[in-house]
Amino acid sequence: MADYRMQAYTRYAQPVALDYARYADAYRRRIGQRLVLCATTRCLDLACGYGNFLAYLRSAAVEDYTGVDSAQGAVDVARREFGDERAVCADVFAYLREAKAGLDLISALDFLEHLTKGELFELLDLMRQALAPNGRLLLRTPNANGLFGMAARYNDITHEICFSTGSIADVLARAGFRTLAVWEDTGRPGTPLQAAHWLAWQAVRIGIRFVNAAETGRWGDGVL
């Protein structure tokens, strides 16, 4: 791993206040209707950080889940919450090379943007080998087509790449995956404040879509 990454990731050694119940609820609102999980679903979360997505897997009654991250400070926090066997400090490439095939779900949330293009295709190949024949890959990454796509691209010194809807689907196809869906990271509102946020975004996105249509000559996919 590049030295600048290791230096940047020392941020995870700083004390943090974590609300795992809130993280689990946020993922439930975002993907609860899109991702079917059960107790026997074999899950691997890459670049798990403090275990935010692990909290969702736990809340969904998944029994076989593991998170992997190279930042020791983050893994130490995750281990205190989920147990030593649930959080592993390791390079994800090395971990996947040794992983047994047959995983039902590999999640990589806010991770691909930290890779170089060469690393990206290597990782996708390793993930494809680790998945079961009908296994699924769940990704989240900054959207280059978004209104604040440039800000998302450069808000972390370790970000290397950014994707549009078309480019991520093309990259996945080149790596042997079939894209089932690409969608905005917006969840069903669960509080009045979240509802106000959601309504405001719906109003704003109409204007953005008109500007996009004027620029491109087509209505587009609406992933903004």
Side-chain angles (χ1 to χ4, degrees):
M1 181 174 287
D3 290 344
Y4 72 90
R5 287 174 175 164
M6 294 302 295
Q7 186 170 358
Y9 294 156
T10 58
R11 69 172 76 103
Y12 293 110
Q14 306 301 316
V16 291
L18 301 171
D19 186 344
Y20 286 106
R22 183 170 66 86
Y23 302 148
D25 179 67
Y27 281 116
R28 179 189 58 78
R29 291 186 295 104
R30 283 167 165 77
I31 64 173
Q33 293 183 314
R34 296 178 178 271
L35 188 63
V36 178
L37 300 171
C38 64
T40 58
T41 305
R42 294 187 60 203
C43 302
L44 175 64
D45 185 34
L46 301 180
C48 67
Y50 298 119
N52 297 9
F53 191 67
L54 300 184
Y56 171 70
L57 296 176
R58 180 176 62 184
S59 72
V62 174
E63 297 177 357
D64 190 348
Y65 64 89
T66 304
V68 181
D69 201 293
S70 62
Q72 185 67 62
V75 171
D76 288 342
V77 174
R79 283 175 173 169
R80 288 195 291 270
E81 177 68 22
F82 302 99
D84 291 349
E85 73 283 359
R86 301 290 193 188
V88 177
C89 185
D91 176 82
V92 296
F93 291 89
Y95 186 91
L96 284 171
R97 292 188 191 103
E98 301 298 326
K100 294 182 179 179
L103 291 168
D104 300 305
L105 173 70
I106 296 180
S107 50
L109 308 178
D110 308 317
F111 181 39
L112 297 192
E113 62 271 17
H114 296 269
L115 305 176
T116 65
K117 294 173 183 177
E119 289 171 333
L120 171 65
F121 280 99
E122 181 183 358
L123 181 73
L124 290 173
D125 185 55
L126 289 171
M127 290 193 290
R128 182 172 50 80
Q129 294 176 43
L131 283 168
N134 293 320
R136 296 196 177 193
L137 179 62
L138 176 66
L139 306 174
R140 181 173 65 188
T141 187
N143 180 12
N145 284 340
L147 178 62
F148 300 106
M150 189 68 73
R153 164 67 176 81
Y154 287 105
N155 72 354
D156 190 316
I157 191 62
T158 63
H159 284 182
E160 301 283 354
I161 48 180
C162 198
F163 302 92
S164 66
T165 302
S167 68
I168 190 64
D170 181 65
V171 164
L172 291 171
R174 303 289 75 76
F177 289 94
R178 180 166 62 94
T179 300
L180 298 178
V182 180
W183 68 91
E184 295 177 321
D185 184 25
T186 55
R188 294 180 300 166
T191 67
L193 181 60
Q194 291 170 358
H197 184 185
W198 185 86
L199 288 171
W201 170 239
Q202 298 310 309
V204 170
R205 74 192 307 279
I206 292 175
I208 299 173
R209 293 202 72 177
F210 273 109
V211 172
N212 186 58
E215 168 68 18
T216 64
R218 60 188 184 88
W219 191 235
D221 55 29
V223 179
L224 303 171

